[in-house]
Amino acid sequence: MATGQLFSRTTQALFYNYKQLPIQRMLDFDFLCGRETPSVAGIINPGAEGFQKLFFGQEEIAIPVHSTIEAACAAHPTADIFINFASFRSAAASSMSALKQPTIRVVAIIAEGVPESDTKHLIAYARSNNKVVIGPATVGGIQAGAFKIGDTAGTIDNIVQCKLYRPGSVGFVSKSGGMSNEMYNTIARVTDGIYEGIAIGGDVFPGSTLSDHILRYNNIPQIKMMVVLGELGGRDEYSLVEALKQGKVNKPVVAWVSGTCARLFKSEVQFGHAGAKSGGEMESAQAKNQALKDAGAVVPTSYEAFEAAIKETFEKLAEEGKITPIKEVKPPQIPEDLSSAIKSGKVRAPTHIISTISDDRGEEPCYAGVPMSSIVEQGLGVGDVISLLWFKRSLPRYCTKFIEICIMLCADHGPCVSGAHNTIVTARAGKDLVSSLVSGLLTIGPRFGGAIDDAARYFKDAYDRGLTPYEFVESMKKKGIRVPGIGHRIKRGDNRDKRVELLQLFARTNFPSVKYMEYAVQVETYTLSKANNLVLNVDGAIGSLFLDLLAGSGMFTKQEIDEIVGIGYLNGLFVLARSIGLIGHTFDQKRLKQPLYRHPWEDVLYTK
């Protein structure tokens, strides 16, 4: 491995398996360091393509998303770092695929628990092809003021406190990502900060070793001293011991191997990492610390003395003139995300949508304050759900039953009415369900199924003003307006619409008052004296009876009733009901595999 620097201010990476927070932290670090280009060139999300929106300082940018590693490497040939956030199940395969790409130089594997046999194959391939693997089970690495991997060094506040926004003079390597964050703080307190830091990962077989990075740091002129934090278990530290003995390292090394407390336990103890398990005296922290000390490393007497040892070594180098004082710079302020600023009470922002009928913020959605589970547990029906979502209150059972009857009676009226006809023609043209449904719904209006609101509006106005049926009908006639809810193409005075009769029977049996319906019946009596087809139709029946429901229930003010009629609630009933039939016609035509419809020419009057 050896050679030198892994990262620079122009380094770019490919990020595998999209994770918003680690990527945003990388981009925030870029901005903090004054980079001109984002360090994440592309994202690889298997099976997905497009873009992901993220922030680069105050600017919102779109980072390309690729479905394969090969496609991403081809699209971003200068991106030579592969940051792998795949799970332990797929991390090895995706990492190997990345290593085989000629453009990829370094692979960082974040996942813990990657099978050891797979890791050994990755290590062998990387070494034979002069590539670097960091991890598995790593948080990654960082070059101060230049580039960082994923969540390395934690939050922006911690990065600023550790002075990682500009390079220092210390090279640091550890097995632990968590302890790396602690050591970045420690080093920043007593030195000019780190130049580069790597957490090799806590698994038994790391892709690169402590000595790999120390030897590499030795070749980087900007690094004047090295700090190593090892741990009990394994023999990785002994490769560093040999390098020191052989004179391959000519810069000061301050080292500590944690886990000295293991001797206090009577039996073998497994610490946090898979590799942190003493398998014998040589793998103990005490033996490793002694070996490092004997080889020439600066080894303190305890972890508590580690900071002082680092400080003393740094100050000695400074006195010798080997370290040039670094001019401190003030990093730019990272813009705070709106969501976190709102949460902390720093800003207030207007909402864009108001909703009063439902709420999905809790453990389960609520309809007008009623939990969905409660609706099911109480055995409520569709009418009750409509009463909650449309009227924002629980209506009496006779009201919700009436709503359900209206839906059942208006669900369909055969294939010949305009809505069903449009749906059938559209379905036979090979269109999808939604297109077929909408084509039928678009025919609903003043001439087809859309007269319920108008019927309610005119009947209410006439009754409330005390007009007789004669005065009402004749005034409408003078205005040139047909009475909504009156008239049918087929039904007659001696052949009433069964649906109207069923609605009237239910209302007379259950409603406290049916004054508007009775008024509509009186109007029908007068219109039948003029023509036998001027009967009260289903629109008129529903419109007048809904007025009785709203007025008779005692749950609505006059203003609320006027608003309900004005907004179009009652036509909503027809739209909801007829959607059932239109969907049925769509399925029927699909099931029958009916061909494209063409209207017969003999049914068309061709004229000049």
Side-chain angles (χ1 to χ4, degrees):
M1 184 173 169
T3 65
Q5 201 163 295
L6 288 182
F7 316 119
S8 71
R9 286 177 61 84
T10 58
T11 295
Q12 284 194 302
L14 296 176
F15 195 103
Y16 187 88
N17 197 19
Y18 176 70
K19 297 283 187 288
Q20 190 269 339
L21 187 57
I23 297 178
Q24 188 58 65
R25 283 180 170 174
M26 289 179 66
L27 298 176
D28 287 344
F29 179 74
D30 296 342
F31 180 74
L32 198 70
C33 299
R35 281 184 57 132
E36 295 183 359
T37 55
S39 60
V40 180
I43 298 166
I44 304 162
N45 232 20
E49 291 182 340
F51 294 88
Q52 281 289 351
K53 294 195 303 178
L54 292 137
F55 283 101
F56 186 60
Q58 286 188 314
E59 180 187 358
E60 196 169 23
I61 61 173
I63 297 181
V65 178
H66 306 276
S67 60
T68 66
I69 294 171
E70 293 77 10
C73 291
H76 310 283
T78 59
D80 56 3
I81 312 294
F82 184 82
I83 302 173
N84 195 345
F85 266 75
S87 71
F88 70 92
R89 290 178 290 271
S90 60
S94 49
S95 295
M96 181 60 79
S97 178
L99 285 170
K100 290 180 178 178
Q101 303 304 311
T103 56
I104 298 299
R105 187 171 48 85
V106 178
V107 172
I109 307 170
I110 310 302
E112 294 184 52
V114 177
E116 293 177 0
S117 59
D118 291 340
T119 302
K120 289 178 180 179
H121 285 126
L122 291 171
I123 295 170
Y125 185 88
R127 290 189 182 281
S128 63
N129 288 274
N130 198 30
K131 299 194 176 188
V132 178
V133 174
I134 302 173
T138 181
V139 72
I142 185 169
Q143 182 176 319
F147 176 84
K148 88 180 186 91
I149 294 171
D151 292 317
T152 302
T155 65
I156 288 296
D157 289 341
N158 188 64
I159 288 171
V160 172
Q161 187 174 337
C162 298
K163 302 176 184 177
L164 296 171
Y165 51 85
R166 52 88 175 139
S169 304
V170 180
F172 173 76
V173 63
S174 168
K175 289 185 176 181
S176 169
M179 286 304 298
S180 292
N181 286 351
E182 179 65 29
M183 289 304 300
Y184 295 151
N185 268 289
T186 299
I187 293 169
R189 282 197 299 269
V190 296
T191 73
D192 61 3
I194 72 157
Y195 184 83
E196 185 182 321
I198 297 290
I200 65 171
D203 277 2
V204 177
F205 298 102
S208 52
T209 65
L210 298 174
S211 60
D212 285 338
H213 294 287
I214 289 298
L215 292 172
R216 188 169 58 77
Y217 291 164
N218 196 63
N219 295 334
I220 300 175
Q222 297 91 331
I223 292 178
K224 307 301 181 181
M225 63 176 283
M226 283 89 86
V227 176
V228 181
L229 179 63
E231 64 186 22
L232 83 166
R235 302 199 174 191
D236 189 13
E237 289 81 1
Y238 289 106
S239 61
L240 176 56
V241 169
E242 290 304 311
L244 288 167
K245 286 181 177 180
Q246 294 170 16
K248 294 181 179 179
V249 180
N250 53 30
K251 298 177 182 179
V253 175
V254 183
W256 177 253
V257 179
S258 60
T260 54
C261 65
R263 284 186 175 176
L264 299 175
F265 298 94
K266 294 181 180 180
S267 59
E268 188 175 80
V269 177
Q270 171 75 59
F271 287 80
H273 294 147
K277 180 180 180 181
S278 179
E281 177 58 29
M282 282 195 69
E283 295 186 13
S284 69
Q286 285 85 347
K288 291 181 179 182
N289 280 323
Q290 188 61 50
L292 285 165
K293 185 175 182 180
D294 294 343
V298 177
V299 180
T301 56
S302 66
Y303 179 79
E304 287 73 16
F306 199 17
E307 180 174 336
I310 296 169
K311 180 180 181 182
E312 183 180 339
T313 303
F314 178 81
E315 289 177 346
K316 184 179 179 182
L317 289 170
E319 289 173 4
E320 295 171 354
K322 294 180 179 179
I323 292 179
T324 304
I326 293 175
K327 183 180 179 181
E328 286 295 339
V329 295
K330 186 177 181 180
Q333 182 72 34
I334 300 293
E336 188 171 1
D337 289 340
L338 181 62
S339 57
S340 61
I342 292 174
K343 190 174 181 179
S344 62
K346 294 180 181 178
V347 299
R348 58 189 182 189
T351 56
H352 297 92
I353 294 176
I354 301 174
S355 176
T356 65
I357 64 170
S358 62
D359 191 337
D360 60 348
R361 292 172 297 176
E363 293 185 4
E364 60 176 316
C366 291
Y367 296 164
V370 180
M372 191 179 293
S373 59
S374 176
I375 294 171
V376 176
E377 289 164 0
Q378 294 178 53
L380 302 182
V382 172
D384 298 285
V385 171
I386 292 172
S387 77
L388 292 170
L389 291 177
W390 290 16
F391 302 105
K392 300 201 308 182
R393 63 205 76 187
S394 294
L395 296 175
R397 182 55 190 153
Y398 75 87
C399 296
T400 60
K401 179 66 176 175
F402 175 76
I403 292 173
E404 290 170 0
I405 292 172
C406 291
I407 292 173
M408 290 188 287
L409 294 180
C410 296
D412 193 50
H413 203 211
C416 299
V417 296
S418 57
H421 179 81
N422 262 26
T423 290
I424 289 170
V425 171
T426 306
R428 289 178 61 166
K431 301 292 285 185
D432 60 277
L433 170 63
V434 175
S435 300
S436 301
L437 170 62
V438 169
S439 70
L441 291 176
L442 288 174
T443 64
I444 296 176
R447 297 182 180 180
F448 170 62
I452 301 177
D453 281 314
D454 283 342
R457 189 177 301 112
Y458 283 113
F459 283 142
K460 184 177 187 301
D461 177 70
Y463 178 87
D464 291 350
R465 289 198 292 134
L467 298 181
T468 65
Y470 167 80
E471 292 171 332
F472 170 50
V473 174
E474 294 305 320
S475 66
M476 295 288 282
K477 183 178 179 181
K478 288 180 181 179
K479 296 175 186 176
I481 303 173
R482 293 183 178 183
V483 179
I486 294 291
H488 203 284
R489 290 178 59 85
I490 299 173
K491 298 301 179 181
R492 299 288 186 270
D494 54 356
N495 179 26
R496 301 297 179 89
D497 191 329
K498 188 67 175 176
R499 297 176 298 174
V500 173
E501 292 178 344
L502 289 170
L503 290 169
Q504 291 174 332
L505 176 62
F506 179 85
R508 287 193 174 102
T509 305
N510 296 280
F511 282 24
S513 168
V514 288
K515 61 183 183 181
Y516 289 107
M517 186 199 76
E518 295 296 1
Y519 183 75
V521 171
Q522 293 172 23
V523 171
E524 178 193 44
T525 301
Y526 178 73
T527 55
L528 282 174
S529 67
K530 292 180 168 291
N532 199 33
N533 70 325
L534 297 180
V535 293
L536 183 67
N537 58 37
V538 71
D539 292 345
I542 293 175
S544 60
L545 284 171
F546 233 101
L547 291 173
D548 288 322
L549 181 151
L550 297 171
S553 68
M555 300 183 71
F556 300 89
T557 64
K558 181 181 182 301
Q559 182 180 355
E560 286 177 322
I561 294 173
D562 289 340
E563 184 179 53
I564 287 169
V565 174
I567 288 176
Y569 274 53
L570 310 188
N571 276 351
L573 265 184
F574 185 83
V575 171
L576 174 63
R578 192 49 58 95
S579 293
I580 299 171
L582 298 179
I583 291 171
H585 283 296
T586 301
F587 291 155
D588 190 41
Q589 297 303 307
K590 299 284 187 184
R591 184 172 53 248
L592 295 171
K593 297 180 175 58
Q594 290 296 286
L596 178 67
Y597 175 83
R598 178 180 175 83
H599 200 71
W601 61 265
E602 60 268 20
D603 192 39
V604 177
L605 173 61
Y606 296 92
T607 183
K608 294 182 180 179

